[in-house]
Amino acid sequence: MPKRRATLRGAALREPTLSGRLALITGANRGIGLAIARALALEGCNLVITGRDERALAKARIELEKLQRERLPAKLHAHVLAQSCDVRSPDSVDYLFTLVRGLRKPLDILINNAGIGHPNLAVGELPYPTWMEVIDTNLNGLFLTTVAALAVMKRGGTIVNNLSIAAERVFAGSAAYNASKHGALGFTDTLREELRPKGIRVIALMPGATDTAIWNTLWPKAPRRKMMSAEAVARTVVSALLLPDNTTAEKIVLRPSIGTL
Ligand SMILES: NC(=O)c1ccc[n+]([C@@H]2O[C@H](COP(=O)([O-])OP(=O)(O)OC[C@H]3O[C@@H](n4cnc5c(N)ncnc54)[C@H](OP(=O)(O)O)[C@@H]3O)[C@@H](O)[C@H]2O)c1
């Protein structure tokens, strides 16, 4: 059982389990990335959050700092660095990791979460720029942030790649998304084998339909109420991070429990 602390503003405080760890989350200004950032903030992590939309990122930073202020004892409040970064751009990723190195701490947790979908279009209708943008974000971006992170990670670190169930199965009309996520799974599985001897865990996170803004592009009329919440995905990520050092969840597949989504 986790230790209970004295109460602050009436809320029962739990000893955070990842206190002082440094976690970087890409695409953390909304959706699943922000939900993971919230969950890690409550576990006492120092956070680096990224995304392209600077206003949304600044709002997320304020929210995460408030969450820690309200829910964690003062001595456990952690640092939240919000830096805009486009994962498709080597320069942008380089700059982000210059700031990470400036924190003078090893990176304990990397959550590769930034990703985009595209409108439902058959292959013959799919514009090349759309194909390129999706592959660039979901696959090339994953490569760029991972390579940069490896230079600042040590034994005991964990990399979580947010893929999708589309990494293993396909959805008609989503060729670029399916291809990017299948490629990302191949990358993730290779990375895991390379990092196993170095004691860095690599987790393929494969959620099914989760209620976020990505559906505005993928399928605007999708039945959101049947989907999982981003918070449920985030809770699962934290559980995997808390497994004993000699144990890893290599692949996490999550599906809504009702219906076919
Ligand atoms: N929702 C689902 O049903 C579902 C299921 C399985 C897997 N996933 C995966 O979960 C991840 C998060 O998606 P979500 O559902 O939370 O969607 P979302 O709400 O649209 O969030 C996507 C995030 O990625 C960021 N992003 C997009 N392009 C980027 C770029 N070039 N550089 C940096 N950041 C970028 C966005 O911020 P900016 O736009 O500000 O850059 C945003 O923070 C994606 O990889 C997605 O494929 C989602």
Side-chain angles (χ1 to χ4, degrees):
M1 281 284 284
K3 272 193 236 159
R4 295 264 157 205
R5 298 194 139 254
T7 59
L8 180 71
R9 290 188 200 169
L13 294 180
R14 185 172 51 74
E15 188 81 52
T17 50
L18 296 168
S19 193
R21 306 281 177 89
L22 178 60
L24 186 154
I25 306 144
T26 67
N29 55 12
R30 61 171 189 266
I32 297 173
L34 179 54
I36 294 174
R38 285 188 192 113
L40 292 180
L42 287 177
E43 295 305 336
C45 280
N46 293 294
L47 298 172
V48 179
I49 58 168
T50 78
R52 292 164 303 172
D53 180 339
E54 295 192 2
R55 280 181 67 174
L57 203 55
K59 211 171 138 208
R61 178 180 55 76
I62 290 165
E63 186 204 316
L64 293 165
E65 286 174 343
K66 184 162 177 269
L67 198 61
Q68 286 203 330
R69 267 201 314 278
E70 289 180 352
R71 303 274 293 275
L72 297 183
K75 66 173 184 168
L76 296 174
H77 293 174
H79 185 70
V80 182
L81 171 67
Q83 174 60 40
S84 64
C85 172
D86 185 335
V87 295
R88 297 169 299 177
S89 156
D91 287 347
S92 186
V93 172
D94 266 5
Y95 184 67
L96 173 70
F97 278 87
T98 303
L99 299 183
V100 172
R101 281 192 296 279
L103 297 175
R104 308 220 170 275
K105 280 167 152 292
L107 183 63
D108 299 294
I109 299 163
L110 169 67
I111 312 280
N112 276 315
N113 166 78
I116 56 169
H118 61 87
N120 194 282
L121 289 169
V123 171
E125 315 293 323
L126 191 62
Y128 183 57
T130 304
W131 167 271
M132 284 292 287
E133 195 190 1
V134 173
I135 300 291
D136 226 9
T137 308
N138 297 358
L139 188 55
N140 298 340
L142 178 64
F143 172 79
L144 288 174
T145 49
T146 303
V147 170
L150 288 179
V152 285
M153 285 190 104
K154 289 192 171 152
R155 186 168 283 277
T158 304
I159 298 175
V160 179
N161 289 345
N162 191 2
L163 309 174
S164 163
I165 54 170
E168 279 187 334
R169 52 177 289 195
V170 297
F171 298 92
S174 284
Y177 189 75
N178 297 332
S180 70
K181 296 296 185 176
H182 272 64
L185 179 59
F187 173 75
T188 303
D189 287 344
T190 310
L191 187 69
R192 182 182 308 111
E193 293 317 312
E194 290 182 6
L195 296 184
R196 198 186 292 280
K198 297 185 176 168
I200 296 177
R201 302 187 290 189
V202 178
I203 300 174
L205 175 65
M206 300 170 62
T210 308
D211 184 6
T212 71
I214 204 169
W215 288 95
N216 298 340
T217 318
L218 282 172
W219 179 12
K221 292 195 172 152
R224 302 288 191 98
R225 65 192 165 72
K226 290 189 181 170
M227 296 183 182
M228 298 181 293
S229 69
E231 289 66 33
V233 178
R235 273 208 297 278
T236 311
V237 170
V238 170
S239 302
L241 291 170
L242 292 176
L243 287 171
D245 283 350
N246 66 354
T247 308
T248 184
E250 296 193 342
K251 192 184 280 185
I252 301 173
V253 180
L254 291 167
R255 297 283 308 276
S257 52
I258 305 170
T260 53
L261 268 172

